[in-house]
Amino acid sequence: MKAKTTKATTKTPPRATAQSASGQGIGARIAFLRRQQAISLEHLARKSGLTKSFLSKLERGLSVPSISTAMALAESFDLTVGQLMGEQQYDDAICVVRKGDRRSFMRRGSEVGYNYEMLAAGKRFKMMEPYIMRPPLVFQDARRFEHAGQEFLFVLKGSLEVEFGGKVIRLDVGDAVYFDSNIPHRSRSLKGRIAQALVVVTA
């Protein structure tokens, strides 16, 4: 007697519709652009003429924008619809700065001996501000710096110390410190030679 064979069947899970997939993609992009430009949902709603609740649904992938909605959002971000959808890059999506093209710039501290060089001057929408810092050899006054966000410092050349209130931390080449930049802080070069550090602050 022949054994009866049964054909195994596998269930294929339903595929996400193109509409829901695109909704999730554009939603994440809108959320990213909004954070990148430090725009609140409420502010974006005012700029675009859309409701805050609808924008929230867009960002969570629960709604898909119509062409007119995409146009309003693109205008709010100062982008084309293609750039908003991720189909094309905006001009400064990638910013390359050659060593010889770095520019000095004025920042709080410039007037008391700190020297700064921009590393991403051409980037229009930034979530970080990277620069090269050269701290002075001596503190010229009792000034300390504090600002919103966070800061990362990596020593490229020489030695320096960073003072946080009464706490002093010495850093040599290859050392790094990451801190909340609302803590009053200042730094100076050591050993009689100007140090050099890569600093990145949240914009």
Side-chain angles (χ1 to χ4, degrees), residues 60-77:
R60 288 179 287 147
L62 302 178
S63 294
V64 179
S66 64
I67 290 297
S68 59
T69 298
M71 288 173 69
L73 285 167
E75 189 176 345
S76 300
F77 289 121

Side-chain angles (χ1 to χ4, degrees), residues 135 153 155 158-162 169-171 187-190 195 197:
L153 185 153
V155 183
S159 301
L160 59 85
E161 67 178 26
V162 187
I169 297 174
R170 175 180 167 144
L171 300 170
S187 58
R188 69 184 180 100
S189 298
L190 299 174

Side-chain angles (χ1 to χ4, degrees), residues 113-127:
Y114 291 79
N115 177 272
Y116 306 98
E117 277 185 7
M118 298 173 116
L119 293 178
K123 187 78 176 73
R124 193 166 25 139
F125 306 131
K126 289 195 280 276
M127 297 180 76

